[in-house]
Amino acid sequence: MTGKHWGYGKDDGPSIWHQNFPVAEGDRQSPIDIMPQQASHDPNLGPIVLNYDHCTSLNICNNGHSVVVEFDDTDDRSVILGGPLDNPYRLKQFHFHWGGKGCHGSEHTVEGNSYASELHLVHWNAVKYRSFGEAASAPDGLAVLGIFLETGDDHRWLHTITDALYMVKYKASVTDFKGFNPKCLLPSSLHYWTYLGSLTTPPLHESVTWIVLKEPIAVSERQASFECSCSLGRKRIRGYAWKITSGPPSLSKAGKYAPPIN
Ligand SMILES: COc1ccc(N[C@H](NS(N)(=O)=O)Oc2ccccc2)cc1OC
Ligand SMILES: [Zn+2]
C-alpha cells in the first residue's frame, strides 16, 4: 500500500479517498452493484480455469486493512486463466472483506443485496508485466476473483484460516501459512459475472478485470463474525458497470453443463 493513510472512518473513509487518490472519481471504479438482468451473455466467454494445485502459499498477515494470505508468485504454479483473460494471471494473495458483528461486509452487491463477507483472490499478468507493482497500474494488469460468503453451514476448510487468525490478530503481524490450496474455498459452480473495474481500496488503480462468482460459499455465523483489529469497513458502491457479461455455463463435475445460477 502507498504511504498515504486511508481508512473507513468519517475523516479518512471512501468519501474523501479522492483527495489523496483522484482516480476514485474515475469511470471504472469498484465495487459495483451487480444487476443480473442487465448482464449481457457473451458467448465468446469460456469457463475460468484455476490451476492452484501446486499451491504456493507462504504466510498469513494482518496489514491493518485485512488479513492477507500471500503466495509465492515467482513462477506460474498458481494461476487463473480462461474466461475474459488473454493470459494466465499469477496468484499473489487473497484476503477477505468482513463486516463487523451482525453487519454484512461484502463489497459487491447483487441487486442491492450484500453478503456477510467477500473473498478476493488477487492475480497479476506476469506475461505482460515484470512485477505486481507494474501490473497493478496497467489496465489489463490484474484479475481479481470475487467469491461471496453467506451464513449457513460451517465451512470445514475456513477453520484453517480462522484458526491462524489468532496468530495475526494485530496489525503488521505475520505467521507462516504454507501448503494452503484456495481451491477448497470455491463453490461448486464457477458461473461468473465479469467487468472491468478497479482495486476497491486505495490506491484504487483501474487495473482489475473482475470475475465475480455467482454462487456464494456457506460459512457459519461464528466464522462470518470473525473480527480482528483489521475489519474493513465497506466502500460505497460507485454506480454500476456499463457492460457486465455473465460467463457461460461451466462444466460441472459430470462434464455436462450446470444450470445457470441467477
Ligand atoms: C499485493 O498488493 C495489493 C493487493 C491488493 C490491494 N488492494 C485490494 N484491493 S481489492 N479489494 O480490490 O482486491 O484490497 C485489499 C484490502 C485489504 C488487504 C489487501 C488488499 C492493494 C495492494 O497493494 C497496493
Ligand atoms: Zn478486496
Side-chain angles (χ1 to χ4, degrees):
M1 306 281 177
T2 61
K4 295 176 191 140
H5 172 76
W6 58 275
Y8 285 90
K10 79 178 165 8
D11 52 7
D12 65 358
S15 51
I16 60 114
W17 286 351
H18 67 91
Q19 292 166 7
N20 278 332
F21 306 94
V23 73
E25 303 299 317
D27 58 8
R28 55 174 277 192
Q29 286 291 300
S30 298
I32 62 166
D33 181 31
I34 296 167
M35 303 292 282
Q37 311 311 326
Q38 292 174 23
S40 59
H41 189 281
D42 179 344
N44 302 317
L45 280 175
I48 53 165
V49 178
L50 300 169
N51 289 340
Y52 288 164
D53 293 337
H54 304 285
C55 58
T56 54
S57 67
L58 296 172
N59 60 51
I60 187 166
C61 65
N62 172 341
N63 70 0
H65 299 292
S66 176
V67 168
V68 184
V69 173
E70 296 182 320
F71 286 76
D72 171 357
D73 61 346
T74 52
D75 64 25
D76 279 352
R77 274 173 296 166
S78 296
V79 295
I80 183 173
L81 60 148
L85 306 173
D86 295 337
N87 306 123
Y89 284 58
R90 271 184 204 167
L91 179 59
K92 169 83 179 163
Q93 52 105 301
F94 70 75
H95 61 271
F96 294 87
H97 296 265
W98 303 94
K101 279 249 172 300
C103 86
H104 279 185
S106 72
E107 298 221 290
H108 288 94
T109 51
V110 181
E111 290 179 332
N113 300 311
S114 61
Y115 284 85
S117 172
E118 189 171 337
L119 163 61
H120 288 159
L121 295 117
V122 182
H123 308 75
W124 62 282
N125 185 341
V127 170
K128 280 186 74 173
Y129 306 105
R130 288 189 308 276
S131 70
F132 175 87
E134 190 188 334
S137 39
D140 60 350
L142 303 182
V144 182
L145 181 66
I147 302 174
F148 292 121
L149 279 67
E150 66 181 4
T151 48
D153 296 336
D154 200 65
H155 192 290
R156 58 173 296 179
W157 299 112
L158 203 61
H159 283 296
T160 32
I161 295 176
T162 44
D163 293 350
L165 296 180
Y166 292 98
M167 315 280 282
V168 289
K169 202 161 170 51
Y170 302 104
K171 179 173 177 174
S173 40
V174 191
T175 190
D176 263 8
F177 197 69
K178 295 210 171 27
F180 182 81
N181 185 335
K183 249 191 161 160
C184 65
L185 299 176
L186 298 177
S188 52
S189 161
L190 292 184
H191 286 271
Y192 62 89
W193 294 292
T194 184
Y195 75 97
L196 298 179
S198 74
L199 293 176
T200 65
T201 65
L204 299 170
H205 291 318
E206 297 189 326
S207 56
V208 180
T209 297
W210 276 97
I211 298 169
V212 180
L213 296 187
K214 296 182 179 180
E215 185 184 332
I217 59 170
V219 300
S220 64
E221 280 286 344
R222 201 188 67 78
Q223 287 176 315
S225 67
F226 151 74
E227 265 191 289
C228 74
S229 60
C230 66
S231 280
L232 283 173
R234 279 187 59 210
K235 184 184 176 192
R236 61 195 163 81
I237 299 290
R238 297 240 335 122
Y240 59 90
W242 59 276
K243 173 174 181 277
I244 183 162
T245 43
S246 56
S250 61
L251 282 181
S252 67
K253 289 181 187 53
K256 62 185 187 305
Y257 283 123
I261 308 250
N262 277 319

